[in-house]
Amino acid sequence: MKLEDHALLDALCGEYIVGTLRGASRRRFERALREEPRVSQRLRHWQEKAPRYSAKMETRPSPRVWRRLEKELGLEQYRAPWFRRREFWAALAALAASVLLILAFIHQVEEPARGLVQIAQLSGTDESARVIAYRSRDGRTLALNATPDMVAGTNRSYELWLIPAEGGDPVSLGVLGALDAHLAIAESERPRLRAGATLAVSVEPAGGSPTGKPTGPIIARGQISS
Amino acid sequence: MLDDGQIRILLLRMGARDAGSAEAFERLYRLCAPLLMGIAMRIVRRSEVAEEMLHDSFTRIWQSAATFDPLATRPVAWMVAIVRNRALDTAASHDVARVDAYEEESLDAFFDWSQGAGTRSLRDCLARLEAAERQALVLAYQHGLSHSELAAQLQKPLGTVKSWVRRGMANLRDCMEGVR
């Protein structure tokens, strides 16, 4: 006789849930659960009346249990590759955030020492090149920022000149391959790099002026303002 | 508390057996292991034995996930049944360990009455049972006692205890189905 036609089906479901259905009877009931739809339907009917378990029931198992399961079931092969794991991206995002924080901190600390101060704006007669000159706070470096950047090419060089405020011959500060440049200022020139002096860029043969004075056209010039 | 919808999705992802199935299983374990451990502990009473049950049950859950029919069964009840079956089998073969006295704990430690349809009627109907019937049912359910263990525990003849359980169950059903 099938269990689903059993007059005591509800009683069997109840004893199954309570746990007093044991041994062969329990196994028979479980077989019927798989094979007879009305049995599983009736059991579900009763299970749905059961309240949720209380959180007070919970007991934390030792971490050993999971480690053993992971090993015995060979779970590693069913893991998403590292770059698809959510934890990886979460960790990466956290790392990036902390790097940003550190960078911001370093920047804040080092800004006074390494910061650049704009000292002049250089422009040509046709306004084609605009160059902004910066000096580092410690006075050792001069930086040129050109828009658009201009590259001298293989046959020519640019040369940066300082025309002192008190007048006199232009002094070469450096030979440049491109207008976007960083150059070190010789200690002897540092005092002259002050308000009233003029910066100028000339076009020279490759390697710089052969005479020590500007020989080609001046493409940009501007007075140091501070 | 455990949400059947969420558990169902995790079981389906485990059953797929592809990259990500292990993560779904790990998530399921983290969510359900404490409850299943608690249920096993009430029955076998020793944590190393309960952990053994837990291990066996989750092995079974992983292996059955591919064939688990999520629409036919409530997944939490399914997992609870696996653990209880395993624990009941073990308890039956370790009779000696189960001589200590059981207290009839309040069912409030077991269930969260605030949620779930039909909860109220179960609680009210339990309260309306004869004290002996209620005690037999609650002890058997909480600690997985068999009829003979119940008889020993309550110091009553086996036949008496069996009829308490049977009558208690029938009365509970009639009450919950609104027969009386």
Short mmCIF file of all heavy atoms in Angstrom, two decimals, chain A residues 20 51 206:
data_model
loop_
_atom_site.label_atom_id
_atom_site.label_comp_id
_atom_site.label_asym_id
_atom_site.label_seq_id
_atom_site.Cartn_x
_atom_site.Cartn_y
_atom_site.Cartn_z
N THR A 20 10.02 10.91 16.05
CA THR A 20 9.78 9.62 16.69
C THR A 20 9.62 8.50 15.66
O THR A 20 9.62 7.33 16.01
CB THR A 20 8.52 9.67 17.59
OG1 THR A 20 7.50 10.37 16.89
CG2 THR A 20 8.83 10.40 18.88
N PRO A 51 7.16 27.45 12.75
CA PRO A 51 7.77 28.77 12.80
C PRO A 51 9.26 28.68 12.47
O PRO A 51 9.82 27.58 12.43
CB PRO A 51 7.58 29.19 14.25
CG PRO A 51 7.32 27.96 15.01
CD PRO A 51 6.86 26.90 14.06
N ALA A 206 71.11 72.52 -33.95
CA ALA A 206 71.11 71.40 -33.02
C ALA A 206 72.28 71.51 -32.08
O ALA A 206 73.42 71.75 -32.50
CB ALA A 206 71.17 70.08 -33.79
#
